[in-house]
Amino acid sequence: MPDLVRDIALFADAGLTAVLTLLHILIMRGFLPIFGRPDGTAVWHLAASYVWISSTVAARAIYWAYAPEELRSFLGKGLVNCTFTLALIYGGFLVLKLLWLIIPDIDRSKYSILTAPLYPASSEWRLGVLLNLLRNTRRDE
């Protein structure tokens, strides 16, 4: 690869990473107050799932990019990857619980957290419910 193309790609990568980091910080700032008040609501599950999943992905990326080789050799891949994977599984559980919680009360008893993603046939309903939940939460504060 020519040096100029490589330099442009590295510059673009650094800029995009900065934008991504800023977005993540802003989103975390928005969700952390909600995450800090665990009340079992759909909004809390939305905040908790974002915090768990995004933090785990970030921690995993930081670990594999910056952890000293001695530490990575000592811990090996299995233990570290299992730890990160368990955290991601928990984040996924929180998302499934969120999907179950936003099913209307009249239909919720017909679904489990594993079948909740199948309700309803249209995904437009879920987006509207999530937006309303977030609007109502912001008004309550």
Side-chain angles (χ1 to χ4, degrees):
M1 177 182 308
D3 287 343
L4 178 61
V5 173
R6 183 180 50 87
D7 290 345
I8 291 171
L10 288 173
F11 180 76
D13 180 50
L16 292 171
T17 300
V19 170
L20 178 61
T21 301
L22 178 61
L23 286 173
H24 174 70
I25 289 169
L26 288 171
I27 294 168
M28 287 291 278
R29 171 55 188 94
F31 278 139
L32 281 174
I34 299 166
F35 177 68
R37 295 188 316 257
D39 58 8
T41 62
V43 172
W44 181 84
H45 281 82
L46 174 63
S49 63
Y50 183 84
V51 169
W52 269 96
I53 292 171
S54 65
S55 297
T56 301
V57 168
R60 184 178 182 153
I62 290 167
Y63 175 81
W64 287 112
Y66 299 109
E69 184 59 39
E70 297 80 23
L71 179 63
R72 290 189 305 213
S73 295
F74 176 73
L75 294 175
K77 289 183 179 180
L79 176 64
V80 173
N81 282 338
C82 284
T83 303
F84 288 131
T85 300
L86 286 172
L88 290 170
I89 288 170
Y90 182 66
F93 166 78
L94 291 170
V95 172
L96 289 173
K97 181 79 181 273
L98 162 67
L99 293 174
W100 181 76
L101 286 169
I102 63 174
I103 295 173
D105 291 338
I106 195 167
D107 293 328
R108 191 176 304 144
S109 64
K110 301 172 191 169
Y111 293 86
S112 71
I113 65 167
L114 296 177
T115 59
L118 305 176
Y119 179 90
S122 168
S123 61
E124 292 175 16
W125 174 85
R126 289 196 183 278
L127 181 59
V129 168
L130 284 173
L131 290 173
N132 285 334
L133 284 169
L134 288 172
R135 282 187 200 112
N136 292 337
T137 298
R138 294 293 183 193
R139 284 188 202 129
D140 295 341
E141 291 181 4

